[in-house]
């Protein structure tokens, strides 16, 4: 994943918070705005590449999903699996107006799928990446997430990293959201960590480091 790809993923993740989405000169734009889960997701297709971007938290319902971390659940009803994930994140992603629509967007002409998101959007991007790789394994996947919380347990991390190994998890400074849910509850991060901004200090957290503008600023300074 090149620097320009990471910056573009951050741009899309930041733009996802806007109610009005820009239409770029090339490609097409489709959206999900699910009233049941309050998930917003945007699809931009350029040639054989599909970009999927999830919006982060911007409503009380989003925060209800975020805070349902005391309960972990088995994804997709496989009771024999040791994999457990954040119940609130999975509930949002599995909403009929979200997951089924995403699956319908994977047409035969798509060869590359690029998934991104910030905060809650990052968690949904993680669930989307592993779900699509399992159901559409003949595509090329890259996932870039920003300010991503922990999504599942150790078994989920190990399974995810085998399936979607081209995952970059960008963490800015002492972003508070990247410390949640707590590791002591069995949650683990997925993907390859890429730290930007201030030095990470154990026990120190910063809400300001979590803002999309802070991520873009640090990335721009790093790459330019």
């Amino acid at each position: 994943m090149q620097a320009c790809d990471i910056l573009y993923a951050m741009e899309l993740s930041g733009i996802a918070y806007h109610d009005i989405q820009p239409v770029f000169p090339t490609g097409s734009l489709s959206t999900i705005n699910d009233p049941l889960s309050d998930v917003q997701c945007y699809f931009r297709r350029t040639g054989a590449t599909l970009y999927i971007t999830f919006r982060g938290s911007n409503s009380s319902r989003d925060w209800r999903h975020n805070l349902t971390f005391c309960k972990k659940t088995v994804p997709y009803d496989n009771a024999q699996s040791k994999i457990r994930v954040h119940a609130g994140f999975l509930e949002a992603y599995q909403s009929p107006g979200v997951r089924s629509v995403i699956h319908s967007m994977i047409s035969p002409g798509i060869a590359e799928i690029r998934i991104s998101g910030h905060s809650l959007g990052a968690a949904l991007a993680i669930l989307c990446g592993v779900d699509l790789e399992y159901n559409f394994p003949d595509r090329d996947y890259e996932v870039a997430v920003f300010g991503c919380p922990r999504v599942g347990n150790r078994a989920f991390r190990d399974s995810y990293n085998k399936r979607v190994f081209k995952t970059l998890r960008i963490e800015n400074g002492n972003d508070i959201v990247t410390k949640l849910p707590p590791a002591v509850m069995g949650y683990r991060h997925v993907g390859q960590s890429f730290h930007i901004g201030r030095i990470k200090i154990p026990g120190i957290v910063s809400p300001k480091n979590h803002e999309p503008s802070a991520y873009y600023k640090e990335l721009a300074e790093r790459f330019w």
Side-chain angles (χ1 to χ4, degrees):
M1 196 178 299
Q2 299 182 8
C4 59
D5 299 323
I6 299 171
L7 279 170
Y8 186 55
M10 184 63 241
E11 290 172 8
L12 293 180
S13 299
I15 290 170
Y17 285 96
H18 297 177
D19 290 332
I20 299 176
Q21 291 290 299
V23 179
F24 299 145
T26 59
S28 59
L29 172 67
S30 301
T31 66
I32 289 174
N33 190 3
D34 180 40
L36 181 62
S37 64
D38 201 28
V39 168
Q40 290 83 29
C41 181
Y42 304 97
F43 305 88
R44 289 178 169 86
R45 180 173 178 177
T46 302
T49 302
L50 179 66
Y51 295 90
I52 304 176
T53 312
F54 291 88
R55 180 184 292 186
S57 302
N58 70 329
S59 71
S60 58
R61 189 176 299 174
D62 288 337
W63 281 104
R64 181 178 64 82
H65 292 309
N66 291 338
L67 296 173
T68 315
F69 59 80
C70 291
K71 180 182 178 183
K72 293 192 285 289
T73 188
V74 181
Y76 311 116
D77 301 320
N78 182 4
Q80 303 302 315
S81 172
K82 295 181 180 180
I83 294 173
R84 299 292 184 274
V85 298
H86 186 295
F89 296 158
L90 187 65
E91 178 187 16
Y93 178 71
Q94 285 189 313
S95 177
V98 179
R99 183 174 182 244
S100 60
V101 176
I102 292 173
H103 281 218
S104 72
M105 297 296 293
I106 314 302
S107 64
I110 293 172
E112 299 177 335
I113 299 177
R114 306 294 181 247
I115 310 172
S116 60
H118 169 264
S119 194
L120 169 62
L124 297 176
I126 294 297
L127 291 173
C128 178
V130 71
D131 177 36
L132 292 184
E133 196 284 332
Y134 180 83
N135 287 283
F136 305 91
D138 57 341
R139 272 64 167 187
D140 177 65
Y141 293 90
E142 286 185 3
V143 178
V145 289
F146 309 87
C148 187
R150 299 180 178 103
V151 176
N153 64 358
R154 189 187 305 272
F156 174 75
R157 178 199 65 188
D158 294 344
S159 175
Y160 179 95
N161 288 346
K162 289 178 181 178
R163 290 188 172 277
V164 197
F165 64 92
K166 290 194 289 184
T167 296
L168 197 60
R169 181 175 48 80
I170 295 88
E171 180 178 340
N172 181 35
N174 294 282
D175 181 350
I176 186 173
V177 173
T178 63
K179 320 293 184 185
L180 301 172
V184 71
M185 296 182 66
Y187 284 94
R188 296 293 183 270
H189 275 303
V190 302
Q192 299 299 315
S193 175
F194 180 59
H195 190 268
I196 57 175
R198 292 179 177 270
I199 297 173
K200 185 161 54 175
I201 303 174
I204 301 298
V205 296
S206 170
K208 288 186 177 180
N209 287 166
H210 184 64
E211 296 175 359
S213 58
Y215 271 85
Y216 192 81
K217 175 181 178 293
E218 295 296 343
L219 284 170
E221 289 181 356
R222 169 70 66 92
F223 294 139
W224 291 341

